[in-house]
Amino acid sequence: MASLGTTAKTPRKKPLQARAQATVEALLEASAHILASAGYEALTTNHVAERAGVSIGSLYQYFPSKEAIIGELVDRHCDEMNRLFAEVFLASSHLSAPQLARAMVSAFYRSKCRNPALSRALREQLPRVKRLNRLEASLDQMTEVIAAYLTTQRPLLRVETPKQAAFYAVHLVEALCMASLRDPSALASPEAAVNEITDIVMRYLFP
Amino acid sequence: MASLGTTAKTPRKKPLQARAQATVEALLEASAHILASAGYEALTTNHVAERAGVSIGSLYQYFPSKEAIIGELVDRHCDEMNRLFAEVFLASSHLSAPQLARAMVSAFYRSKCRNPALSRALREQLPRVKRLNRLEASLDQMTEVIAAYLTTQRPLLRVETPKQAAFYAVHLVEALCMASLRDPSALASPEAAVNEITDIVMRYLFP
DNA sequence: CTTGAATATGAGTAAACATTCGGTTTTTGT
DNA sequence: ACAAAAACCGAATGTTTACTCATATTCAAG
């Protein structure tokens, strides 16, 4: 491993032509597949390049380091999650609290269902790659939005501290969605899981 | 790295004399410290030996591989958690459901408080290592015990499926304890956290 | 005190791995 | 068709790291 400290942090080149874009996508897809199916241990640059069907040299034309690939993977995952969260929140903000809650839990659950194995790997296998903070940051941002919403609902609220309530609510939903995802066979259907989780949060937040 | 596949899985020697025992303890303590303070990346065998104040050769007298050290660390952590769980469960089984719940949550929380950094590291940085299954296995075992208990409380229960309820309850408690642990400053005191988490579980399980 | 077993040592080995670089092929614009 | 740019290639490099082994030291029992 050449000194990580001096590794360039910016890509060597931007992919301009269509085939270069395809190369980048293939590399990211290969990384996601390896991470999801074989774990972080198996995620070596050579392995990624091989699976992507490109040479190791090409990999380093577009990613300055192995960490940069993972970073991009995390970034995309977070962006997708944030996008869905914002979309559903806005689209459902006029609904009642229970309906909104259900919509949010469902959205969260479905966003993880797109690629359960990858979701798990990103959450569980990424050894403190600095970038993983972005996932925590996403949750923190959600917490703030929820806290603001709860403040507007204060009269109806069972709890008195919206910020704290949002913290527990978000972590609760995240953890139970991931847990349900891990073992979907032993438990009920996805819809049932969403219902149950929604129920738990609602009972906590509202009378 | 010598071929992992053919690495011996049993220790070379059992530590018989007192100084050998001390060496083993020093190695485990060093491993825990490095893992908690610097993360898995920094957990190299040479680093462990250095911090333990013994030579790398001594390390390999008592542990057949790096993975074996981590395995022992996880084993001890799980054993401690299981011990505390069983003890508190037996000692409190005659209490009312809310009191029992609070005792269990408190015990869980306190067991993580012994060494928060290590608890986090074992939970968040280790899923790459196969052995982490032991931690999941511990949770699964707890779930079974709780499910059995809930079955005896069925008439009082709000939910109808003890097994599923136990699953959500255990994961909920675990996740929220870890989350509270991560950011104890922003939230209330440990007692308040335990109370809140207990409250959430109780509202879910009982009317 | 002697002797054998247990313990400790640390330079050395080999393999894995991230990253580089010199050179080739393909595409684009003219 | 022809240059220039972009993309691609993969053997080679240098470092990291898990693990070994030949040797030295300490302990315990007779």
Side-chain angles (χ1 to χ4, degrees), chain A residues 32-122:
Chain A
H33 183 271
I34 292 168
L35 191 58
S37 65
Y40 184 82
E41 306 269 76
L43 191 71
T44 71
T45 51
N46 288 283
H47 192 176
V48 167
E50 183 189 17
R51 183 170 171 99
V54 304
S55 83
I56 182 63
S58 294
L59 188 155
Y60 280 93
Q61 291 227 328
Y62 304 110
F63 296 98
S65 67
K66 175 181 171 177
E67 201 181 315
I69 304 177
I70 303 169
E72 179 68 20
L73 222 51
V74 176
D75 282 356
R76 289 187 174 204
H77 188 80
C78 287
D79 288 348
E80 168 67 14
M81 195 172 67
N82 292 341
R83 197 192 55 70
L84 194 62
F85 178 86
E87 178 188 309
V88 171
F89 187 79
L90 289 178
S92 309
S93 58
H94 62 91
L95 299 175
S96 67
Q99 287 174 311
L100 176 60
R102 197 188 188 285
M104 300 302 294
V105 172
S106 177
F108 198 98
Y109 193 87
R110 273 182 291 118
S111 91
K112 303 298 177 188
C113 277
R114 302 270 180 155
N115 191 339
L118 180 60
S119 298
R120 267 196 80 183
L122 289 174

Side-chain angles (χ1 to χ4, degrees), chain B residues 10-175:
Chain B
T10 52
R12 303 293 146 73
K13 281 178 188 173
K14 284 253 169 89
L16 301 175
Q17 303 175 3
R19 62 173 172 158
Q21 285 285 354
T23 296
V24 169
E25 292 309 312
L27 285 166
L28 287 171
E29 198 177 347
S31 301
H33 183 270
I34 292 168
L35 190 59
S37 64
Y40 185 82
E41 306 270 76
L43 192 71
T44 70
T45 52
N46 288 285
H47 193 178
V48 167
E50 183 188 19
R51 181 168 173 100
V54 304
S55 81
I56 182 63
S58 293
L59 187 155
Y60 279 94
Q61 293 236 332
Y62 303 110
F63 295 99
S65 68
K66 173 181 171 176
E67 202 180 316
I69 304 177
I70 303 168
E72 179 67 19
L73 221 51
V74 175
D75 281 356
R76 289 187 176 205
H77 187 80
C78 288
D79 288 349
E80 168 67 14
M81 194 171 68
N82 292 341
R83 196 192 55 72
L84 193 63
F85 177 87
E87 178 188 308
V88 170
F89 187 78
L90 289 179
S92 310
S93 59
H94 62 92
L95 298 175
S96 68
Q99 288 174 310
L100 175 60
R102 195 186 188 286
M104 301 301 294
V105 173
S106 178
F108 199 99
Y109 193 87
R110 274 181 291 119
S111 91
K112 302 299 177 188
C113 276
R114 302 271 179 153
N115 192 340
L118 181 60
S119 297
R120 268 197 79 182
L122 289 174
R123 180 72 222 275
E124 297 179 2
Q125 313 220 350
L126 281 196
R128 340 184 192 178
V129 182
K130 287 292 176 290
R131 285 279 203 154
L132 187 91
N133 292 358
R134 268 226 55 193
L135 217 155
E136 283 182 15
S138 278
L139 288 185
D140 287 348
Q141 199 188 328
M142 284 186 201
T143 302
E144 279 185 38
V145 174
I146 301 286
Y149 170 77
L150 289 181
T151 303
T152 71
Q153 304 287 309
R154 209 163 199 166
L156 302 173
L157 232 55
R158 196 188 62 78
V159 292
E160 286 159 7
T161 50
K163 198 167 176 177
Q164 176 184 317
F167 177 87
Y168 283 118
V170 167
H171 280 276
L172 185 158
V173 169
E174 200 259 351

